[in-house]
mmCIF file of all heavy atoms in Angstrom:
data_model
loop_
_atom_site.group_PDB
_atom_site.id
_atom_site.type_symbol
_atom_site.label_atom_id
_atom_site.label_comp_id
_atom_site.label_asym_id
_atom_site.label_seq_id
_atom_site.Cartn_x
_atom_site.Cartn_y
_atom_site.Cartn_z
ATOM 1 N N ASP A 70 -9.751 -8.786 -0.310
ATOM 2 C CA ASP A 70 -9.094 -9.889 0.394
ATOM 3 C C ASP A 70 -10.074 -10.727 1.212
ATOM 4 O O ASP A 70 -9.684 -11.691 1.870
ATOM 5 C CB ASP A 70 -7.963 -9.389 1.295
ATOM 6 C CG ASP A 70 -8.439 -8.388 2.340
ATOM 7 O OD1 ASP A 70 -9.569 -7.881 2.210
ATOM 8 O OD2 ASP A 70 -7.676 -8.126 3.283
ATOM 9 N N VAL A 71 -11.349 -10.375 1.164
ATOM 10 C CA VAL A 71 -12.397 -11.119 1.876
ATOM 11 C C VAL A 71 -13.394 -11.647 0.861
ATOM 12 O O VAL A 71 -13.801 -10.936 -0.055
ATOM 13 C CB VAL A 71 -13.116 -10.209 2.887
ATOM 14 C CG1 VAL A 71 -14.180 -10.987 3.648
ATOM 15 C CG2 VAL A 71 -12.119 -9.589 3.875
ATOM 16 N N THR A 72 -13.780 -12.906 1.024
ATOM 17 C CA THR A 72 -14.822 -13.501 0.184
ATOM 18 C C THR A 72 -16.108 -13.553 1.001
ATOM 19 O O THR A 72 -16.127 -14.085 2.113
ATOM 20 C CB THR A 72 -14.423 -14.932 -0.250
ATOM 21 O OG1 THR A 72 -13.209 -14.849 -0.997
ATOM 22 C CG2 THR A 72 -15.515 -15.543 -1.115
ATOM 23 N N VAL A 73 -17.179 -12.998 0.451
ATOM 24 C CA VAL A 73 -18.443 -12.887 1.173
ATOM 25 C C VAL A 73 -19.571 -13.479 0.331
ATOM 26 O O VAL A 73 -19.665 -13.203 -0.873
ATOM 27 C CB VAL A 73 -18.763 -11.410 1.520
ATOM 28 C CG1 VAL A 73 -20.188 -11.270 2.043
ATOM 29 C CG2 VAL A 73 -17.772 -10.881 2.541
ATOM 30 N N ALA A 74 -20.412 -14.282 0.973
ATOM 31 C CA ALA A 74 -21.611 -14.829 0.345
ATOM 32 C C ALA A 74 -22.822 -14.427 1.171
ATOM 33 O O ALA A 74 -22.887 -14.732 2.362
ATOM 34 C CB ALA A 74 -21.524 -16.349 0.231
ATOM 35 N N GLU A 75 -23.762 -13.732 0.531
ATOM 36 C CA GLU A 75 -24.959 -13.303 1.251
ATOM 37 C C GLU A 75 -25.844 -14.504 1.583
ATOM 38 O O GLU A 75 -26.085 -15.365 0.745
ATOM 39 C CB GLU A 75 -25.740 -12.305 0.394
ATOM 40 C CG GLU A 75 -27.028 -11.815 1.033
ATOM 41 C CD GLU A 75 -27.807 -10.868 0.148
ATOM 42 O OE1 GLU A 75 -27.176 -10.123 -0.641
ATOM 43 O OE2 GLU A 75 -29.057 -10.872 0.222
ATOM 44 N N VAL A 76 -26.350 -14.520 2.828
ATOM 45 C CA VAL A 76 -27.284 -15.551 3.260
ATOM 46 C C VAL A 76 -28.701 -14.986 3.332
ATOM 47 O O VAL A 76 -29.633 -15.534 2.758
ATOM 48 C CB VAL A 76 -26.868 -16.152 4.613
ATOM 49 C CG1 VAL A 76 -27.894 -17.188 5.080
ATOM 50 C CG2 VAL A 76 -25.483 -16.775 4.526
ATOM 51 N N SER A 77 -28.859 -13.874 4.063
ATOM 52 C CA SER A 77 -30.176 -13.246 4.164
ATOM 53 C C SER A 77 -29.996 -11.802 4.596
ATOM 54 O O SER A 77 -28.947 -11.404 5.104
ATOM 55 C CB SER A 77 -31.073 -13.990 5.156
ATOM 56 O OG SER A 77 -30.552 -13.907 6.478
ATOM 57 N N LYS A 78 -31.061 -11.023 4.404
ATOM 58 C CA LYS A 78 -31.033 -9.636 4.855
ATOM 59 C C LYS A 78 -32.456 -9.150 5.072
ATOM 60 O O LYS A 78 -33.417 -9.699 4.516
ATOM 61 C CB LYS A 78 -30.296 -8.738 3.864
ATOM 62 C CG LYS A 78 -30.961 -8.611 2.500
ATOM 63 C CD LYS A 78 -30.116 -7.742 1.562
ATOM 64 C CE LYS A 78 -30.794 -7.626 0.181
ATOM 65 N NZ LYS A 78 -29.980 -6.807 -0.747
ATOM 66 N N SER A 79 -32.581 -8.119 5.902
ATOM 67 C CA SER A 79 -33.863 -7.490 6.168
ATOM 68 C C SER A 79 -33.563 -6.055 6.604
ATOM 69 O O SER A 79 -32.394 -5.646 6.634
ATOM 70 C CB SER A 79 -34.636 -8.239 7.260
ATOM 71 O OG SER A 79 -34.029 -8.026 8.532
ATOM 72 N N ARG A 80 -34.578 -5.318 6.994
ATOM 73 C CA ARG A 80 -34.321 -3.965 7.477
ATOM 74 C C ARG A 80 -33.599 -3.975 8.816
ATOM 75 O O ARG A 80 -33.114 -2.936 9.272
ATOM 76 C CB ARG A 80 -35.629 -3.194 7.617
ATOM 77 C CG ARG A 80 -36.613 -3.762 8.618
ATOM 78 C CD ARG A 80 -37.943 -3.032 8.569
ATOM 79 N NE ARG A 80 -38.896 -3.567 9.520
ATOM 80 C CZ ARG A 80 -38.993 -3.180 10.783
ATOM 81 N NH1 ARG A 80 -38.185 -2.241 11.251
ATOM 82 N NH2 ARG A 80 -39.886 -3.713 11.587
ATOM 83 N N SER A 81 -33.467 -5.173 9.437
ATOM 84 C CA SER A 81 -32.832 -5.286 10.750
ATOM 85 C C SER A 81 -31.520 -6.057 10.742
ATOM 86 O O SER A 81 -30.855 -6.105 11.779
ATOM 87 C CB SER A 81 -33.796 -5.972 11.739
ATOM 88 O OG SER A 81 -34.973 -5.232 11.905
ATOM 89 N N HIS A 82 -31.141 -6.642 9.601
ATOM 90 C CA HIS A 82 -29.904 -7.432 9.627
ATOM 91 C C HIS A 82 -29.362 -7.680 8.225
ATOM 92 O O HIS A 82 -30.095 -7.609 7.228
ATOM 93 C CB HIS A 82 -30.145 -8.771 10.318
ATOM 94 C CG HIS A 82 -30.707 -9.834 9.414
ATOM 95 N ND1 HIS A 82 -31.996 -9.817 8.922
ATOM 96 C CD2 HIS A 82 -30.132 -10.960 8.872
ATOM 97 C CE1 HIS A 82 -32.216 -10.873 8.154
ATOM 98 N NE2 HIS A 82 -31.099 -11.566 8.097
ATOM 99 N N ILE A 83 -28.065 -7.995 8.173
ATOM 100 C CA ILE A 83 -27.422 -8.557 6.987
ATOM 101 C C ILE A 83 -26.595 -9.742 7.471
ATOM 102 O O ILE A 83 -25.724 -9.582 8.339
ATOM 103 C CB ILE A 83 -26.520 -7.541 6.261
ATOM 104 C CG1 ILE A 83 -27.349 -6.358 5.736
ATOM 105 C CG2 ILE A 83 -25.776 -8.216 5.113
ATOM 106 C CD1 ILE A 83 -26.512 -5.263 5.078
ATOM 107 N N ASP A 84 -26.872 -10.919 6.937
ATOM 108 C CA ASP A 84 -26.249 -12.159 7.386
ATOM 109 C C ASP A 84 -25.435 -12.739 6.233
ATOM 110 O O ASP A 84 -25.978 -12.951 5.141
ATOM 111 C CB ASP A 84 -27.328 -13.143 7.837
ATOM 112 C CG ASP A 84 -26.775 -14.369 8.536
ATOM 113 O OD1 ASP A 84 -25.759 -14.242 9.247
ATOM 114 O OD2 ASP A 84 -27.359 -15.457 8.381
ATOM 115 N N VAL A 85 -24.136 -12.994 6.468
ATOM 116 C CA VAL A 85 -23.257 -13.486 5.406
ATOM 117 C C VAL A 85 -22.337 -14.570 5.922
ATOM 118 O O VAL A 85 -22.126 -14.708 7.133
ATOM 119 C CB VAL A 85 -22.385 -12.339 4.800
ATOM 120 C CG1 VAL A 85 -23.245 -11.224 4.253
ATOM 121 C CG2 VAL A 85 -21.395 -11.804 5.833
#
Side-chain angles (χ1 to χ4, degrees):
D70 59 346
V71 181
T72 300
V73 170
E75 179 182 329
V76 177
S77 65
K78 64 183 180 181
S79 71
R80 63 187 180 87
S81 299
H82 84 289
I83 297 176
D84 190 35
V85 302

